[in-house]
Amino acid sequence: MSALTLNGWIEQGGHRLSIPEIERLLQNHPDELSQCGGEFFLSRDTCSARDLYGIIEGTGPKGTILCNGKATGTITPTAPEMSLEAAIRTAVELRSNEGVVALSGGVDSALVAALARRECVAVGVEGSHDLKRAKVAAESLGLTCTFVTICEEEIAMALPVVVRTIPEKNPVNAGIALTLYFVARWAGEHGYRRIITGQGADELFGGYSRYLTTETLEEDLVRDFARLEAQVRRDQAVAALHGAYFSMPYMDFRVVRAARAIPAAEKVQGGRRKIPLRTVAERHIPPDLAGYEKKAMQYGSGVWATLRKLARKNGYKTSMQDYIDHISRVEHGH
């Protein structure tokens, strides 16, 4: 029997399992693997398993147990019903035994940072919105945070690598992935493998500005949550370049279950977004952080403006997509 290989981490009933505990579970109660949560790709011999939402990359579809190339089971974690606050606290606690928190200053990452109490890192161009807000958040929460300032030259050098790496090559994906590239680069250089983030909160709680005017909020949230799989694949591909991975407490099955139990109309109303999350956050972070409406990552970091500037410099004044396509062609030798 070959050795067990684990990327990420596994938990059962709120308890993180060590490698020896996983070995014993597989030997004595293999059927219980299907009830395990966490963020993992597990393999041994001709069998493998991936976590429910496919947070960790691996062979086979998300939430599936494979043996000899055939699906033999599904990953459907179990845990007692709990409030949204308890779910978030549990999700962060399970992930905060190691790693660094990616802090941008918005409610999503500020709440995670406050609960995790780990070192933080913030990335942006000089004078960017996210660096300023992250500094305010870190000081307010009493957390240690490294502020990584990136310049146009660094972004230009990283762009071909990012475009080559991400599955869907378009300007929005490139802008987000570039920001995360520098987060992961810092983490990798400082010995961190796990990067704890706030991804998933917008799709679960109604964080996008377009939700304020939609007449199909419930359907939009379901659709956008389904699209997270592609976003996770993009983000993890960039993190893997630096030997790291993004850990996502808001995509813990407990949090997803609690969030889905809240009617969409209670998440977005009266010009406010992510109301249930902000209500929880107010009990853990200062009101100005809990209520702050932050810009999207690619804008707040200043990377998007720099990307547009690079496109213009290279003769693509009207189409960012043409610039990304050009880079992709050059990367493929065309």
Side-chain angles (χ1 to χ4, degrees):
M1 182 179 292
S2 64
L4 179 149
T5 300
L6 173 65
N7 292 330
W9 58 279
I10 294 179
E11 58 96 359
Q12 185 179 35
H15 168 69
R16 280 188 305 269
L17 300 179
S18 65
I19 294 295
E21 287 174 323
I22 297 170
E23 293 275 13
R24 287 195 295 272
L25 182 144
L26 294 177
Q27 182 176 347
N28 301 321
H29 306 283
D31 56 307
E32 291 185 9
L33 176 62
S34 65
Q35 302 168 20
C36 290
E39 300 166 319
F40 62 88
F41 174 69
L42 176 72
S43 64
R44 188 173 67 178
D45 298 328
T46 60
C47 295
S48 64
R50 285 183 72 198
D51 65 79
L52 175 62
Y53 294 119
I55 303 300
I56 301 297
E57 285 299 302
T59 56
K62 64 183 181 181
T64 303
I65 301 172
L66 296 176
C67 285
N68 296 310
K70 296 182 179 180
T72 59
T74 58
I75 301 296
T76 51
T78 59
E81 295 284 341
M82 55 181 66
S83 68
L84 177 61
E85 180 173 10
I88 292 173
R89 288 175 65 104
T90 300
V92 175
E93 181 181 352
L94 282 166
R95 290 159 175 79
S96 57
N97 61 311
E98 62 177 79
V100 61
V101 176
L103 182 64
S104 62
V107 62
D108 308 343
S109 63
L111 176 57
V112 168
L115 294 174
R117 307 307 300 178
R118 297 200 62 86
E119 182 178 5
C120 301
V121 59
V123 166
V125 302
E126 186 174 0
S128 65
H129 174 274
D130 280 9
L131 284 182
K132 293 176 181 177
R133 287 302 307 178
K135 188 172 189 298
V136 169
E139 290 178 351
S140 180
L141 298 172
L143 296 172
T144 299
C145 187
T146 298
F147 304 97
V148 180
T149 302
I150 52 179
C151 64
E152 181 181 321
E153 182 180 3
E154 287 179 292
I155 294 171
M157 290 178 65
L159 182 57
V161 179
V162 167
V163 170
R164 181 196 318 138
T165 301
I166 60 178
E168 297 181 28
K169 307 177 193 304
N170 60 56
V172 171
N173 277 334
I176 295 170
L178 273 167
T179 305
L180 295 175
Y181 173 92
F182 291 108
V183 171
R185 186 184 72 174
W186 183 91
E189 290 174 349
H190 290 80
Y192 291 110
R193 176 161 166 73
R194 183 184 301 167
I195 307 167
I196 309 171
T197 74
Q199 274 120 310
D202 286 324
E203 292 79 3
L204 281 173
F205 301 107
Y208 297 121
S209 58
R210 53 187 164 84
Y211 293 148
L212 292 170
T213 55
T214 183
E215 296 181 355
T216 56
L217 180 59
E218 189 73 62
E219 292 87 343
D220 292 353
L221 290 172
V222 171
R223 180 199 62 223
D224 290 346
F225 184 83
R227 291 176 176 173
L228 279 172
E229 184 176 0
Q231 295 178 33
V232 169
R233 191 178 307 118
R234 172 200 65 204
D235 300 347
Q236 300 294 31
V238 170
L241 294 172
H242 304 285
Y245 72 92
F246 291 106
S247 181
M248 307 174 186
Y250 292 117
M251 291 188 70
D252 187 282
F253 75 95
R254 301 168 188 82
V255 178
V256 174
R257 183 176 62 190
R260 285 177 167 169
I262 301 171
E266 294 181 16
K267 298 175 180 179
V268 180
Q269 58 178 269
R272 297 181 67 215
R273 296 170 279 162
K274 292 193 284 198
I275 294 172
L277 181 62
R278 297 185 195 282
T279 300
V280 170
E282 286 170 357
R283 295 194 280 270
H284 299 277
I285 62 179
D288 62 317
L289 295 181
Y292 191 74
E293 299 279 2
K294 199 187 78 67
K295 297 180 179 180
M297 180 189 306
Q298 66 271 32
Y299 306 124
S301 66
V303 165
W304 184 259
T306 305
L307 200 53
R308 290 188 65 87
K309 184 177 180 182
L310 288 170
R312 289 194 295 269
K313 279 188 175 182
N314 285 275
Y316 296 90
K317 297 182 179 180
T318 58
S319 175
M320 290 271 281
Q321 184 64 60
D322 287 348
Y323 179 48
I324 299 299
D325 291 342
H326 164 72
I327 291 172
S328 185
R329 287 194 298 271
V330 170
E331 281 295 295
H332 286 86
H334 300 309

